Amino acid sequence: MFTERFRSHHDAEGGLEALLGNSGKLAGKILKMKSWSSVEKKLRESPGGLARGVYIHVPYCDRICGFCNLNRTERGAADLDAYAAYIAGELKTFGAYPYIKEQPFSAVYFGGGTPTILSTEQLSRILGALHDNIPLTEDCEISVETTQHNLGVKKALALAALGVNRFSVGIQTFSGRGRKILGRTYNDQKALEELRELRAAFKGVLGIDIIYSYPGQSLEELSEDAEICVSSGIDSVSFYSLMIHKGSALYRSIGNGDIEFKRTVEWDRERHHLFYGKLKEGGFTLLELSKLARPGRDAYRYIHIQYENGDLLPLGSGAGGRLAGFRVYSMAPGRRFVSPVDKRHERYYRMLGEFQFGLYDAAKMAEGLAPETENAVREKLDELESLGFLNPAPGAGPGARVLSPDGVFWGNNIAVEVLGAAIHAAKKEKKVYV
Ligand code: SF4
């Protein structure tokens, strides 16, 4: 059914934009933007009760990894004291608005770049401003993305004392050869030692990132990565098939022949199933299409808020979010792009979110859809089940299905396939909602 695999949720989101006819229209959207005063007006009102989180972006890394296309830049001469002061100031400014201060936030996410490029003192300043100005639920999830060399046990414990209860550590592989190809800082032994030390010391949620299907990766190398994930006591693992982004160092090395890399879907699929199977055997369950976790150990609340179209207050240069009925993109101090949320887009984005978590409940997905559209979704789910991508989900209600291992592998394609059926039917009916 599928030939080219969508490897990440970003690909699926791109597929959704294409289906809605929004591709390539970003510039047009920006020109039609609202002024910041429209958002401010709403921020002076009371909140509407949506789930809510804070996203803090730190766009710097001390070196750029060969495979990366994230929104980041090499630190260079950036003034990190000034950046921490800017974020702390933003927290104070937003914390004064009724919309922010009248309802607690249940998740805070530091993403990047590398948030831990900031020193413990700089991060303390931000976390202090967070606690002083933003109401947080008692069990608020406070996550920090990090590389290993920018963290270390001492810093991790200092941040834990300030409320950080979840780290997501970019490791990518424990293979020495693979680490060289991916441009990681530590060698394999040091990476493993530091992970073990961190696990022993830090009692919160500890997740790591693993990349599979990198050039020349053997099944033995991947097996070893999977075994370390299971034995090291981590709580969750994000696992991504390597994406080769135009303009990255790896793209250039492959292009000029320094690194040989030709992979087929079958080669990728074999590695996916090996890793997924070993983690399942080791007691992990599917948390997201590209994330596995020990049961009950990693709620990853932040991502649920995002897919539920909750409020995500975006702070820092390059942070995007949703606030008080607007999409907000923070560019630099004092510069923000704002556009009103598109209800149609949000309806389908929510459906896309359901697919990310791997349990497809036809009844839930059909909520609010017009009859023909609902039928089109059900028929598409039946077809996907007949092709072996979905299985009935025992105990989860009539019509609910879970993904087979092939369904997980093709999960982002499946999401776009079902959304395509829904959007096509809705166009014919000329409406989305009943
Ligand atoms: S540390 Fe992370 S964000 Fe920075 S370049 Fe490497 S992969 Fe990208």
Side-chain angles (χ1 to χ4, degrees):
M1 184 172 207
F2 308 114
T3 49
E4 190 173 341
R5 183 179 176 217
F6 291 157
R7 289 191 159 80
S8 83
H9 63 99
H10 295 297
D11 294 338
E13 286 167 20
L16 172 60
E17 297 302 335
L19 287 166
L20 292 173
N22 293 335
S23 302
K25 290 198 179 162
L26 185 61
K29 276 187 180 171
I30 286 170
L31 290 174
K32 281 192 264 153
M33 284 179 315
K34 291 279 186 188
S35 67
W36 179 245
S37 59
S38 325
V39 184
E40 268 195 312
K41 191 165 164 254
K42 286 280 180 194
L43 292 178
R44 289 196 198 95
E45 298 171 5
S46 292
L50 290 176
R52 45 177 32 196
V54 180
Y55 176 74
I56 297 172
H57 192 70
V58 180
Y60 306 112
C61 297
D62 45 23
R63 55 181 284 202
I64 300 300
C65 302
F67 58 88
C68 178
N69 79 330
L70 295 175
N71 183 2
R72 80 290 175 268
T73 180
E74 205 154 11
R75 175 194 170 170
D79 182 343
L80 299 183
D81 269 340
Y83 195 78
Y86 154 52
I87 300 289
E90 290 279 82
L91 287 161
K92 191 167 178 206
T93 302
F94 277 99
Y97 289 112
Y99 192 90
I100 300 296
K101 67 183 177 191
E102 289 181 8
Q103 184 192 321
F105 288 68
S106 60
V108 178
Y109 195 93
F110 287 75
T114 310
T116 47
I117 197 169
L118 299 177
S119 66
T120 303
E121 292 67 35
Q122 288 158 346
L123 286 164
S124 301
R125 182 170 186 180
I126 294 174
L127 286 159
L130 175 76
H131 290 295
D132 287 349
N133 295 289
I134 307 292
L136 305 177
T137 59
E138 249 180 54
D139 63 347
C140 183
E141 174 188 277
I142 304 184
S143 302
V144 174
E145 281 182 357
T146 182
T147 57
Q148 286 189 291
H149 71 274
N150 290 110
L151 186 64
V153 167
K154 194 167 160 220
K155 192 169 183 177
L157 295 183
L159 297 179
L162 295 165
V164 173
N165 47 29
R166 186 175 181 279
F167 284 108
S168 172
V169 187
I171 289 182
Q172 319 311 353
T173 177
F174 295 95
S175 147
R177 200 184 62 82
R179 293 185 69 78
K180 278 195 193 128
I181 290 172
L182 298 174
R184 308 309 294 164
T185 301
Y186 289 162
N187 67 23
D188 47 344
Q189 274 188 353
K190 177 94 171 142
L192 186 52
E193 266 168 37
E194 288 236 345
L195 179 67
R196 286 188 173 139
E197 281 172 21
L198 182 62
R199 177 64 295 178
F202 175 65
K203 303 303 173 209
V205 177
L206 181 58
I208 69 170
D209 288 354
I210 288 289
I211 286 178
Y212 64 92
S213 288
Y214 55 76
Q217 184 185 37
S218 68
L219 296 177
E220 290 70 33
E221 283 171 322
L222 183 60
S223 281
E224 199 183 337
D225 282 351
E227 280 154 22
I228 292 172
C229 288
V230 171
S231 65
S232 60
I234 58 163
D235 299 301
S236 59
V237 55
S238 294
F239 63 121
Y240 292 100
S241 173
L242 178 67
M243 287 171 269
I244 313 289
H245 300 288
K246 257 189 179 171
S248 67
L250 197 54
Y251 178 84
R252 286 192 295 277
S253 298
I254 292 167
N256 64 25
D258 289 346
I259 293 179
E260 195 185 333
F261 191 40
K262 285 195 186 101
R263 69 179 156 187
T264 60
V265 167
E266 201 39 53
W267 194 83
D268 195 26
R269 182 172 169 271
E270 186 179 20
R271 277 151 186 76
H272 175 276
H273 285 11
L274 174 70
F275 189 83
Y276 181 69
K278 280 198 170 269
L279 271 282
K280 293 273 276 189
E281 274 168 35
F284 284 64
T285 54
L286 192 74
L287 186 67
E288 251 198 295
L289 289 177
S290 53
K291 199 171 191 68
L292 292 149
R294 291 185 199 278
R297 277 298 296 169
D298 187 1
Y300 201 10
R301 205 178 279 161
Y302 166 78
I303 206 73
H304 284 271
I305 295 171
Q306 181 175 318
Y307 281 120
E308 284 165 18
N309 295 312
D311 274 329
L312 281 178
L313 169 62
L315 303 177
S317 301
R322 181 194 191 283
L323 191 60
F326 293 88
R327 292 260 153 218
V328 177
Y329 190 69
S330 165
M331 301 293 289
R335 285 187 64 214
R336 295 186 186 90
F337 289 138
V338 176
S339 59
V341 297
D342 172 347
K343 290 281 177 206
R344 182 166 167 257
H345 181 278
E346 294 221 324
R347 175 68 182 82
Y348 290 120
Y349 189 72
R350 197 176 175 123
M351 269 175 93
L352 182 73
E354 292 288 321
F355 287 108
Q356 291 300 317
F357 301 116
L359 176 67
Y360 298 0
D361 185 337
K364 198 171 160 198
M365 282 192 170
E367 275 167 23
L369 294 179
E372 283 303 314
T373 310
E374 182 184 338
N375 280 344
V377 169
R378 284 182 192 276
E379 277 170 20
K380 186 54 79 176
L381 290 173
D382 288 345
E383 182 190 352
L384 289 160
E385 184 172 340
S386 73
L387 291 169
F389 295 120
L390 301 174
N391 292 317
R401 346 258 167 127
V402 288
L403 291 163
S404 66
D406 263 351
V408 177
F409 180 74
W410 291 108
N412 286 300
N413 297 69
I414 289 172
V416 175
E417 184 75 18
V418 179
L419 286 167
I423 290 168
H424 184 69
K427 268 185 194 156
K428 279 208 276 185
E429 282 190 293
K430 296 199 171 40
K431 56 185 179 179
V432 177
Y433 301 96
V434 174

